[in-house]
Amino acid sequence: MKKVPNHVAIMMDGNGRWAVEKGKPRSAGHYAGMLAVRRTVEAAVQLGISNLTLYAFSSENWKRPKQEVDYIMHLPSIFYKTEIKALNKAGVRVEFFGDLQALPLKTLAVIKKTMQETIHNNTLILRIALNYGSKDEIINGIKELVQANSQGIQEYEELRQFFWTKEMPDVDVMIRTSGEQRLSNFLLMQAANARLVFIKAYWPDFERDMLSDAITNN
Ligand code: FPP
């Protein structure tokens, strides 16, 4: 039997198309996407994955219609209300990462609450990227590094200490749903050696078996 990867990252793509094909508003696709997050977290715990990272909102996603952006920014609050009990029961620690200071204050408050209330869990670390872009993370890290250490650095490991994701282990398997085969500025350095898995299904239709296949079939 193959070893379970330590860190699986997922680009949750296709919520909009899923909704449009069903004649529903795009927000219905994002809500269904949140339910898929719930199922995937449960599956990851069962499969023994220790680190699961999800791309929820990129720094480019602000260009979407305001109504859609507002809905996605409200999702962490729905997520908190509906999931916090189950997350704590399953031992899931939740961390949000990205340029968090630029988020609406209500969103920031609820993600902080979610992080604080799960901080002692250690079965699985669920990391959710919100307002994240890999190039932004690298530039921001370099700016901070220059301020902290004008002598410069020799190795990538030293630069990594200035990333929003400095605690995150490298990605072993990177999954993208909906048939798209692009990296879209997600964890470019952290996934430098990751195995890439592209799945045709839209994110709201993502199921346990797809995760299980992705981590076992090479
Ligand atoms: C990509 O599909 C998906 C998003 C931009 C939003 C993802 C958010 C969730 C799945 C919910 C996250 C849950 C929490 C807890 C914050 P798309 O809209 O780009 O789909 P399309 O390519 O078909 O238009």
Side-chain angles (χ1 to χ4, degrees):
M1 224 174 88
K2 284 231 169 71
K3 211 171 147 259
V4 175
N6 177 47
H7 185 186
V8 176
I10 308 182
M11 307 171 77
M12 310 182 287
D13 199 6
N15 293 351
R17 277 164 286 168
W18 181 91
V20 169
E21 285 179 17
K22 289 185 154 44
K24 296 182 179 187
R26 290 177 62 86
S27 56
H30 296 312
Y31 181 74
M34 195 198 68
L35 300 181
V37 170
R38 174 197 289 169
R39 290 197 303 275
T40 305
V41 170
E42 284 169 5
V45 169
Q46 283 170 12
L47 292 164
I49 296 167
S50 304
N51 295 271
L52 176 68
T53 300
L54 305 176
Y55 204 5
F57 193 83
S58 81
S59 41
E60 282 99 50
N61 284 154
W62 296 107
K63 293 181 203 138
R64 293 181 178 218
K66 183 175 181 308
Q67 203 185 5
E68 183 176 352
V69 171
D70 287 350
Y71 187 77
I72 297 175
M73 287 300 144
H74 181 55
L75 272 178
S77 170
I78 302 177
F79 185 71
Y80 174 83
K81 284 190 194 123
T82 59
E83 307 303 318
I84 192 79
K85 258 197 199 152
L87 291 165
N88 276 323
K89 195 163 173 221
V92 178
R93 176 173 178 174
V94 185
E95 290 183 358
F96 288 85
F97 68 96
D99 188 0
L100 301 182
Q101 297 312 317
L103 293 174
L105 288 180
K106 273 190 180 166
T107 309
L108 190 58
V110 80
I111 69 175
K112 278 188 179 162
K113 194 158 68 161
T114 309
M115 290 194 278
Q116 277 159 5
E117 291 184 20
T118 59
I119 199 165
H120 298 297
N121 297 336
N122 55 19
T123 302
L124 167 73
I125 303 184
L126 169 65
R127 296 182 179 86
I128 301 178
L130 263 191
N131 194 22
Y132 177 84
S134 205
K135 290 180 183 174
D136 288 346
E137 175 179 44
I138 293 166
I139 280 295
N140 183 68
I142 291 173
K143 282 185 191 160
E144 287 191 11
L145 182 147
V146 168
Q147 274 184 356
N149 173 4
S150 57
Q151 302 304 304
I153 53 161
Q154 301 296 324
E155 295 189 8
Y156 169 68
E157 273 306 304
E158 296 169 75
L159 171 61
R160 200 168 73 86
Q161 303 312 316
F162 293 89
F163 288 171
W164 295 316
T165 56
K166 61 176 178 284
E167 313 287 349
M168 176 192 282
D170 280 348
V171 177
D172 300 303
V173 180
M174 170 73 83
I175 300 171
R176 183 165 188 159
T177 56
S178 91
E180 287 284 344
Q181 302 194 355
R182 288 180 288 125
L183 289 176
S184 298
N185 201 16
F186 189 45
L187 302 176
L188 300 181
M189 303 292 264
Q190 299 84 342
N193 294 307
R195 188 162 59 79
L196 307 178
V197 179
F198 299 107
I199 293 177
K200 285 220 175 79
Y202 295 143
W203 174 248
D205 293 327
F206 191 76
E207 286 181 9
R208 184 190 193 281
D209 285 355
M210 298 178 193
L211 180 63
S212 161
D213 284 354
I215 66 169
T216 45
N217 295 345
N218 280 300

